[in-house]
Structures are given as structure tokens and as C-alpha cells.
């Protein structure tokens, strides 16, 4: 079993907890405040401040789409949207292209609009 800590969050309480990595016989982890199940988010997670409701809404979208914050070979988890507008851009891109939401949400850059005028929710024509 790996030694070290990983993060879990409770979305209703807007709380994050560092806990030992899950083991084979671990039980489901629950929030010590509300007893709702905690969501395993990964060891490269940095929690937003509890009062930052927009950041927690953004995090909720990411987690419900299956995006997590695990370390990669190069360090951190890679790009993750930080604002609801970045989430909306990527969700629109996913709807327009058929790309899975979880994949679109972790795209650092979206294709440019034809003519190079900013980001587009749809890919340029071929």
C-alpha cells in the first residue's frame, strides 16, 4: 500500500480533508461535519477558500464530470478550469464537437475562431 496523503472533499460543506491513500479494505469516507460521502479528488488538489462559492461551483462541475486532481509524471494534474466561464466555454465546445465533457474540461486551449478572433465553442471548418 502506498504511504502518504491524498485529498477528499465534501461539496455541501465546502471542506477538504487530507487523508491516507485508500487501501484495499478501506471503508467509504464520510464528512465529519455532515456525514455525507467524501469525494476522492487526488493528491494534487488545492482547495478553494470556503467562502469562494464560484470556485466551489466550478469544482462541483469538474468532479461530477469525473475530473480529478492526480499527480502526473510531470508534477501536477495539468490544466483545470478555475472559473465558471472557462467551464461554460469547454462545455459548449464539448456539445458542439461531441468530445466527452471530462476531456473538454481539461483542455488548456480551445481552437481559435476562423480569422483568429478569440476562442470559439466550435472547431474551425475543415
Amino acid at each position: 500500500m502506498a504511504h502518504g496523503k491524498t485529498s477528499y472533499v465534501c461539496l455541501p460543506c465546502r471542506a477538504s480533508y487530507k487523508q491516507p491513500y485508500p487501501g484495499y479494505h478501506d471503508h467509504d469516507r464520510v464528512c465529519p461535519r455532515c456525514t455525507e460521502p467524501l469525494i476522492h479528488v487526488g493528491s494534487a488538489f488545492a482547495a478553494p477558500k470556503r467562502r469562494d462559492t464560484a470556485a466551489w461551483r466550478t469544482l462541483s462541475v469538474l468532479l461530477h464530470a469525473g475530473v480529478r486532481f492526480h499527480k502526473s509524471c510531470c508534477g501536477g494534474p495539468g490544466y483545470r478550469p478555475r472559473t465558471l466561464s472557462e467551464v461554460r466555454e469547454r462545455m459548449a465546445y464539448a456539445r458542439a464537437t461531441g468530445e466527452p465533457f471530462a476531456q473538454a474540461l481539461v483542455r488548456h486551449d480551445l481552437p481559435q475562431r476562423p480569422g483568429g478572433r478569440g476562442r470559439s465553442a466550435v472547431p474551425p471548418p475543415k
Side-chain angles (χ1 to χ4, degrees):
M1 181 164 92
H3 298 288
K5 301 260 182 178
T6 188
S7 293
Y8 290 80
V9 297
C10 176
L11 292 174
C13 294
R14 291 190 219 143
S16 173
Y17 303 96
K18 290 276 188 191
Q19 296 190 357
Y21 277 97
Y24 182 73
H25 294 292
D26 270 357
H27 61 288
D28 290 332
R29 302 189 188 199
V30 296
C31 178
R33 292 174 173 211
C34 70
T35 69
E36 289 294 314
L38 292 173
I39 301 170
H40 182 218
V41 294
S43 60
F45 177 72
K49 295 196 181 303
R50 185 170 285 129
R51 68 182 174 271
D52 189 348
T53 55
W56 281 94
R57 276 196 299 266
T58 300
L59 177 61
S60 178
V61 171
L62 294 174
L63 296 178
H64 285 101
V67 175
R68 298 296 186 265
F69 298 79
H70 298 289
K71 290 181 182 175
S72 69
C73 63
C74 302
Y79 173 79
R80 300 295 185 263
R82 292 185 162 264
T83 66
L84 289 171
S85 74
E86 289 175 337
V87 166
R88 281 191 290 273
E89 284 179 331
R90 282 152 183 80
M91 299 287 274
Y93 177 82
R95 280 191 293 276
T97 63
E99 183 171 354
F101 284 141
Q103 190 175 327
L105 284 168
V106 298
R107 277 183 165 274
H108 190 274
D109 293 311
L110 295 177
Q112 296 291 315
R113 288 183 181 158
R117 295 183 320 270
R119 293 182 178 167
S120 173
V122 293
K126 293 183 180 190

